[in-house]
Amino acid sequence: ERWAVFAYNHVRSLSDKEKRMYYDCVEGHGELPGSGLGSKISHRRICLATSTDGVHWTKPSLGIFNRNGSTANNILVEDSGVSVFLDSTKGVPESQRWKMICSNAAYSSPDGLRWTKLPWTSVAEDDTKPTAYYSPALQKYVVMVRRDVHLSGKAGSVVRQVGRCVTDNISDWQKE
């Protein structure tokens, strides 16, 4: 969190007294990976804060993510943008009950803390976090995205598009 905490966050209320905020933070100086700036390269991570009232938040030491030889932190995964939901699909295993969609990956978890990356092939890149949920009415996953699409034949011309993906396969939603 040395450089920034982005607004790509997601709050889940598990009960009146238990709330979780999954948030996107950046360690470094804002330089993108591959910029050739060595140790100044930024790392995007999904972290967790908890609250009992939704106003005051704490960052628990989770013992999950190894950062510089220590797991005494609140980091869940190295990724960016975050949307978390409980999957109400019939027959979904308890080990995959929680789902997390990030800008470049999809994850599942039994508890919303320990995440397993699902098979993923990137088709396009979102310019902000996708927002996802399971729709009982459609009996499908729904993912909202916002993308910058380059116009063919017009150098430097970009149009922002908002899209809605509806799919049976949350780990491969970009192909749908």
Side-chain angles (χ1 to χ4, degrees):
E1 298 175 12
R2 291 184 196 192
W3 188 71
V5 173
F6 284 128
Y8 308 135
N9 306 320
H10 190 101
V11 176
R12 290 258 353 141
S13 182
L14 302 178
S15 70
D16 287 344
K17 294 290 182 187
E18 185 182 4
K19 293 151 186 45
R20 292 181 181 175
M21 181 187 334
Y22 297 86
Y23 65 97
D24 182 355
C25 71
V26 180
E27 177 183 14
H29 301 284
E31 290 84 1
L32 297 174
S35 66
L37 297 173
S39 63
K40 291 185 176 183
I41 292 175
S42 297
H43 297 277
R44 300 276 299 266
R45 298 191 175 111
I46 305 302
C47 299
L48 179 74
T50 58
S51 176
T52 57
D53 61 8
V55 176
H56 302 92
W57 295 87
T58 59
K59 297 187 269 184
S61 179
L62 299 172
I64 295 172
F65 187 89
N66 186 337
R67 180 186 170 274
N68 297 332
S70 173
T71 58
N73 59 60
N74 66 325
I75 302 169
L76 297 170
V77 297
E78 189 155 15
D79 213 318
S80 65
V82 61
S83 180
V84 176
F85 64 97
L86 288 170
D87 189 345
S88 59
T89 306
K90 290 180 183 175
V92 68
E94 285 297 316
S95 63
Q96 298 177 15
R97 188 78 169 149
W98 289 74
K99 296 292 192 298
M100 178 168 60
I101 306 303
C102 294
S103 297
N104 298 301
Y107 299 83
S108 66
S109 172
D111 57 8
L113 299 174
R114 289 158 191 81
W115 296 93
T116 300
K117 195 170 192 175
L118 297 170
W120 178 265
T121 302
S122 182
V123 174
E125 189 170 320
D126 299 317
D127 75 331
T128 58
K129 75 163 185 142
T131 301
Y133 61 94
Y134 180 78
S135 169
L138 297 173
Q139 295 187 4
K140 294 184 182 280
Y141 300 103
V142 178
V143 184
M144 303 299 292
V145 297
R146 187 176 90 176
R147 296 194 170 136
D148 288 336
V149 178
H150 298 278
L151 299 175
S152 62
K154 295 186 178 184
S157 295
V158 175
V159 173
R160 176 160 286 153
Q161 294 184 340
V162 175
R164 179 175 181 255
C165 306
V166 180
T167 182
D168 291 321
N169 185 352
I170 196 64
S171 73
D172 203 13
W173 59 268
Q174 288 188 334
K175 288 188 177 180
E176 298 295 320

